[in-house]
Amino acid sequence: RTVDLLRLERAYWLARDVEWLLITPQVWTKSVVLTLRRTCQWALAEGVPAGLLDFAAAVARANPWSTVTALIEAIEKHAEGRQQAQCALWQAVWVGALPISLDRGWRPQEPLRHISDREFWTQNPIVSRRSAWI
């Protein structure tokens, strides 16, 4: 029954031209899945202009020890509000423009931990497009 329900959900999203990935703790670490879940509201929101996405990634790279809160505040000065700044930051992460460790806590007062592109690709199911789907 579970497989049938997942098949229906997959068909629903594919019919809308949305790539569908099944991300499970058996394939990915729980902390990575939790980070994706916590940030998906911004990462999956309406896309931000490419220039703002690039700006968000540049700000984060230039300030590697800044907290997430400080980064969002810096990005917000060039965005149309805090929501768009958060979207820019997390969309940059999800598309791979800002490779950070997704194995992080939820606290916004913690800094992002920058990692290599290769480490990020290995860790990130969104960028690597790996799915637990049968």
Side-chain angles (χ1 to χ4, degrees):
R1 177 82 178 131
T2 300
V3 171
D4 289 338
L5 290 173
L6 288 171
R7 228 180 237 120
L8 284 171
E9 184 173 346
R10 181 176 182 269
Y12 172 86
W13 289 111
L14 292 177
R16 283 155 182 74
D17 279 338
V18 175
E19 185 173 5
W20 188 84
L21 300 173
L22 180 60
I23 302 169
T24 65
Q26 290 78 20
V27 179
W28 302 100
T29 62
K30 184 177 181 177
S31 57
V32 169
V33 172
L34 288 173
T35 297
L36 294 173
R37 187 178 298 154
R38 286 183 200 113
T39 61
C40 73
Q41 66 181 344
W42 302 294
L44 298 176
E46 183 177 335
V48 300
L52 185 59
L53 192 109
D54 293 340
F55 178 76
V59 166
R61 280 194 296 278
N63 300 286
W65 302 109
S66 290
T67 66
V68 172
T69 302
L71 292 173
I72 290 169
E73 288 171 355
I75 297 164
E76 188 177 6
K77 295 174 185 172
H78 298 276
E80 296 175 6
R82 190 170 196 83
Q83 173 70 13
Q84 191 182 48
Q86 289 176 308
C87 291
L89 179 68
W90 293 111
Q91 287 174 23
V93 171
W94 275 44
V95 301
L98 179 57
I100 64 160
S101 174
L102 296 172
D103 188 19
R104 65 182 311 274
W106 62 270
R107 293 174 176 82
Q109 67 269 25
E110 294 177 3
L112 300 176
R113 187 170 63 83
H114 299 262
I115 59 177
S116 72
D117 288 340
R118 183 179 177 158
E119 287 175 292
F120 183 73
W121 189 89
T122 301
Q123 186 185 62
N124 187 338
I126 306 300
V127 171
S128 66
R129 299 294 189 245
R130 284 183 292 215
S131 176
W133 183 243
I134 52 176

